[in-house]
């Protein structure tokens, strides 16, 4: 099922996801719907917050992109396509190495994109949809997407990681988007949204 993607200004995007203790039919259904939603939007990744669920779950697929990715499992180069699409539950990112500035967009920020500095490579530990542990090292686009989605899972948005010049240049567009989103929220949500911090720095 294609789910509506919540946009910047929605308080859900500023909340942390809860740890998933067991892969229930509901979690499987959510992951399936998130994959369908991501594909329908031509996205490379999607976090549960973006479809209104506060759990530590992300989906991604880098196969359609021309930007290079690397992946090693147990120190050996892995066939990335064989691991796509990827569903990560309770991901933990460690051993960040290198810095790389790269272009990013976000399905919660339609028509907005910016250069963001991220670690070039990371180690990922997570659980898969079969409840099995998944451990790998990755670089390039794959590492970027996982870092972007992992931020979402902790209430952090790519706008928090933009340099100040970019943020200033996008200021009007961001404010307009935030206002549009909040105008569509029911009144209770609107009150909650005002009490949330306007930005959070990681
Ligand atoms: Zn995003």
């Amino acid at each position: 099922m294609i789910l509506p993607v919540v946009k910047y200004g929605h308080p859900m995007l500023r909340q942390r996801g809860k740890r998933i203790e067991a892969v229930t039919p509901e979690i499987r259904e959510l992951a399936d719907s998130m994959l369908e939603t991501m594909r329908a939007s031509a996205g490379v990744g999607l976090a549960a917050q973006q479809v209104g669920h506060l759990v530590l779950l992300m989906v991604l697929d880098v196969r359609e992109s021309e930007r290079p990715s690397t992946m090693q499992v147990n120190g050996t180069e892995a066939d990335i396509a064989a691991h796509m699409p990827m569903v990560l539950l309770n991901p933990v990112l460690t051993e960040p190495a290198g810095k790389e500035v790269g272009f990013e967009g976000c399905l919660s920020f339609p028509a907005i994109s910016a250069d963001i500095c991220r670690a070039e490579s990371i180690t990922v530990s997570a659980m898969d949809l079969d409840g099995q542990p998944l451990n790998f090292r990755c670089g390039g686009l794959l590492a970027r997407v996982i870092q972007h989605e992992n931020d979402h899972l902790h209430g952090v948005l790519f706008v928090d990681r933009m340099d100040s010049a970019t943020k200033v240049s996008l200021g009007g567009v961001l404010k307009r988007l935030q206002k549009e989103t909040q105008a569509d929220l029911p009144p209770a949500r609107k009150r909650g949204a005002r009490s949330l911090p306007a930005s959070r720095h990681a």
Side-chain angles (χ1 to χ4, degrees), residues 13 45-47 50 104-109 118 145 148-149 152 156-158:
L13 291 177
L46 190 66
Q50 292 180 278
E104 287 184 24
C106 179
L107 297 179
S108 295
F109 292 75
R118 304 267 184 198
V145 173
H148 178 114
E149 303 312 332
H152 274 300
V156 176
L157 300 172
F158 83 148

Side-chain angles (χ1 to χ4, degrees), residues 4-15 41-43 45-47 49-51 103-116 118 148-149 151-153 155-162 166-167 169-182 197-200:
V5 175
V6 303
K7 303 298 188 298
Y8 180 54
H10 196 294
M12 191 77 88
L13 291 177
R14 288 304 188 183
Q15 294 179 48
S41 322
L46 190 66
Q49 266 83 350
Q50 292 180 278
V51 291
F103 189 68
E104 287 184 24
C106 179
L107 297 179
S108 295
F109 292 75
I112 294 173
S113 52
D115 279 333
I116 306 287
R118 304 267 184 198
H148 178 114
E149 303 312 332
D151 272 354
H152 274 300
L153 299 183
V156 176
L157 300 172
F158 83 148
V159 64
D160 305 335
R161 298 197 184 272
M162 287 174 190
T166 307
K167 225 183 284 181
S169 73
L170 289 174
V173 184
L174 289 169
K175 258 194 207 115
R176 199 156 56 237
L177 174 59
Q178 197 168 27
K179 229 173 142 183
E180 276 169 21
T181 303
Q182 291 180 351
S199 76
R200 188 182 297 182

Side-chain angles (χ1 to χ4, degrees), residues 93-144:
L93 279 47
T94 55
E95 299 174 273
K99 289 272 171 214
E100 196 177 60
V101 173
F103 189 68
E104 287 184 24
C106 179
L107 297 179
S108 295
F109 292 75
I112 294 173
S113 52
D115 279 333
I116 306 287
C117 186
R118 304 267 184 198
E120 201 284 324
S121 60
I122 49 166
T123 296
V124 180
S125 302
M127 179 163 81
D128 68 15
L129 259 192
D130 296 317
Q132 296 302 307
L134 194 59
N135 298 289
F136 59 92
R137 179 124 192 115
C138 60
L141 180 65
L142 180 55
R144 177 170 295 278

Side-chain angles (χ1 to χ4, degrees), residues 23-100:
V23 184
T24 58
E26 289 75 23
I27 289 292
R28 282 177 184 279
E29 199 183 315
L30 174 60
D32 279 350
S33 294
M34 283 171 63
L35 283 167
E36 207 181 325
T37 304
M38 176 183 77
R39 288 191 192 108
S41 322
V44 287
L46 190 66
Q49 266 83 350
Q50 292 180 278
V51 291
H53 289 263
L54 295 175
V55 288
L56 296 176
L57 169 60
M58 68 166 84
V59 300
L60 58 118
D61 194 336
V62 295
R63 281 177 297 185
E64 297 292 313
S65 176
E66 287 169 3
R67 294 163 72 181
S69 294
T70 61
M71 181 178 180
Q72 294 95 31
V73 182
N74 298 324
T76 309
E77 290 303 319
D79 176 6
I80 295 174
H83 288 271
M84 298 293 145
M86 191 179 259
V87 179
L88 299 178
L89 286 67
N90 307 328
V92 175
L93 279 47
T94 55
E95 299 174 273
K99 289 272 171 214
E100 196 177 60

